[in-house]
Amino acid sequence: MLWNTLFLLLPVAAISGWWFGWRAAKKRVVLENERLPPEYFEGLNYLINEQSDRATSLFIKVLDVNSETIEVHYALASLFLKRGEVDRAIRIYQNLLARPTLSKEQRSETLYCLAQGYLKAGVLDRAEGLLNDLISDAGYGLLSLKSLLNIFQQQREWVSAIDIARRLQKRDRLSYSKQISHYYCELAEQQPVHSTEWSRAIKAALSSDRNCVRATIMQGHALLSLGRYSQALNTFKKIEQQDASFIYEALLSMLQCWESMDKPEQALAYLNSLMVRYPSLDILSLYAELGSRLDDNGEFKSTLRNYVLHYPSLKGILSLLKIEGVCQLILEDAALADSLKSLDSQELSYRCAQCGFLGHSLHWQCPSCQAWGEIRRINDLA
């Protein structure tokens, strides 16, 4: 209880100290009739005793909004937001907006703060309306655009997100081309593959960011579904120039193309060349498995075994067991098969390069930091 009381007293003391110090610096002498009313200290008492409803009502009632007290209102609202009492913060901002004494700058700040309060409360439509009113504001226009972009991403309104991102690109120093390309990919996924709308969205994604691996993978899969294996292979191979760390995401589809074309030797040669340029356990496992099927002379198994010995991992051991045929024997036992699948599912194969989020599968947008295109497969040999 003592620590809770101290926690509440610290911000209140800071607020009060700032208020009195500012007035003293301005007027030197604080006249008796200019001091805070007794109700202010009654409100502090309510706040200390965790009677937030009474404290908020009293503060709003007794603190006149003028150039000397508006910062106190902001500080109180910020305190309530930090404590998760969003409704109380919103009431303070609404009370501020109702006062005609606000300057233009103060009104813009209050509108933005109120919009953030609505966002925390999950009232996205009200937040969106306030932020739209602030887009042209000199002080809060850029911040409002960024908040709107987050809203449209949450609501999956990709056309609006593209519009806002383009506006930000003109006003902000950062590039939004990668984000815009992913928004177009999201639009494409909402359309039937091969439709005019789908093709336009994919083209726009690559126009926004020519290194958009996601759009290239979608193109390759579309060609594969039509049986255009050679074109699909050429499309997938572009990934190496765009971002080689994503090449594994297309390898199984590429192997399917070579298998359909009855050209396994080409697949093996390509995997071998990848191993030289981008050595990884994932690529090595595919190389060893395919090589053992084509020529069971033990060479490919030995290569994989040596890597597993130097870079031990459950994934590598399972790959080796699969080639040896042991996995097939295990899978015939249902209990052992379930245990094996459980162990395999515990392997975290993907990491976000921006925030370090770990996951089992590829997400084009990081669930943790919301960054686009930053999650990649973990290279066990790196």
Side-chain angles (χ1 to χ4, degrees), residues 146-290:
K146 291 181 178 179
S147 293
L148 281 170
L149 186 61
N150 289 330
I151 290 176
F152 293 136
Q153 284 188 162
Q154 290 181 48
Q155 296 180 325
R156 303 185 66 80
E157 297 180 13
W158 304 117
V159 174
S160 297
I162 291 169
D163 175 60
I164 295 297
R166 283 176 172 166
R167 293 194 195 186
L168 277 168
Q169 190 129 283
K170 293 178 180 178
R171 297 176 61 172
D172 203 352
R173 294 182 178 180
L174 301 176
S175 172
Y176 288 82
S177 59
K178 179 186 284 188
Q179 288 178 239
I180 293 173
S181 68
H182 280 282
Y183 297 156
Y184 276 116
C185 288
E186 292 286 344
L187 280 176
E189 290 186 351
Q190 296 175 353
Q191 306 298 328
V193 180
H194 307 300
S195 66
T196 302
E197 294 79 7
W198 181 90
S199 299
R200 286 175 179 171
I202 294 296
K203 183 178 180 180
L206 290 169
S207 176
S208 177
D209 178 14
R210 63 181 182 181
N211 292 322
C212 182
V213 172
R214 184 181 182 182
T216 300
I217 290 176
M218 293 172 71
Q219 277 186 327
H221 286 156
L223 291 166
L224 176 58
S225 67
L226 293 176
R228 295 159 66 175
Y229 305 119
S230 180
Q231 287 178 278
L233 280 171
N234 290 332
T235 299
F236 286 132
K237 286 180 180 179
K238 294 178 183 178
I239 296 172
E240 189 176 344
Q241 282 70 49
Q242 293 176 318
D243 190 336
S245 61
F246 283 101
I247 191 65
Y248 180 80
E249 307 306 324
L251 276 183
L252 294 180
S253 297
M254 295 175 76
L255 291 176
Q256 183 180 342
C257 290
W258 275 307
E259 184 179 352
S260 299
M261 297 167 63
D262 194 23
K263 295 181 178 180
E265 292 81 6
Q266 289 187 11
L268 190 64
Y270 182 73
L271 290 174
N272 185 39
S273 67
L274 285 181
M275 272 301 302
V276 175
R277 297 193 299 277
Y278 319 108
S280 76
L281 183 56
D282 292 316
I283 297 175
L284 175 60
S285 297
L286 292 175
Y287 172 72
E289 182 182 350
L290 179 59

Side-chain angles (χ1 to χ4, degrees), residues 331-363:
L331 291 175
E332 292 175 1
D333 186 313
L336 283 175
D338 289 340
S339 298
L340 191 62
K341 290 177 182 178
S342 176
L343 285 173
D344 193 26
S345 65
Q346 294 175 20
E347 288 279 292
L348 296 172
S349 302
Y350 292 87
R351 180 190 292 119
C352 176
Q354 186 158 303
C355 73
F357 169 82
L358 293 169
H360 298 283
S361 57
L362 174 66
H363 297 275

Side-chain angles (χ1 to χ4, degrees), residues 79-98:
L79 173 62
F80 288 131
L81 283 176
K82 289 179 180 178
R83 295 177 57 188
E85 300 176 61
V86 181
D87 291 342
R88 296 180 177 90
I90 288 175
R91 285 173 57 193
I92 292 178
Y93 293 133
Q94 290 174 332
N95 181 68
L96 285 173
L97 287 173

